[in-house]
Amino acid sequence: GESWKNPLFLLSHIKSDELTYSKSKEHIITAIGQQTKIIGFYVDKDLINDNKYLNLYGTLRSSTYYGRTTVEFLIKNMVGCKN
């Protein structure tokens, strides 16, 4: 129901230079497997560029596009981490 909140997951210590941007350079769309992606809309590029590693907080969803289903980690928050 509407009162149920999606659980928040943490992907810790992700190398920022391994995140890839969309063609528009506004979003992160990074494959982390054949059917799994990390997605972030309108991300803070300065935070990414200023940190070698990031902790990514987000939710999971299933997405089907042209008959192909993928699991997507939707970034809700990013925090720079040391080393």
Side-chain angles (χ1 to χ4, degrees), residues 2-45:
E2 290 181 27
S3 63
W4 186 79
K5 294 188 185 234
N6 289 333
L8 200 61
F9 295 93
L10 166 64
L11 297 180
S12 65
H13 215 246
I14 302 299
K15 282 185 158 184
S16 60
D17 62 359
E18 292 183 1
L19 297 173
T20 55
Y21 290 96
S22 63
K23 290 179 185 178
S24 69
K25 304 288 187 210
E26 294 178 333
H27 315 297
I28 289 175
I29 303 175
T30 303
I32 56 172
Q34 289 193 359
Q35 296 177 324
T36 309
K37 297 178 185 176
I38 297 173
I39 299 190
F41 297 104
Y42 302 104
V43 295
D44 182 349
K45 291 178 193 152

Side-chain angles (χ1 to χ4, degrees), residues 21 43-51:
Y21 290 96
V43 295
D44 182 349
K45 291 178 193 152
D46 290 333
L47 178 66
I48 294 169
N49 293 332
D50 292 345
N51 290 280

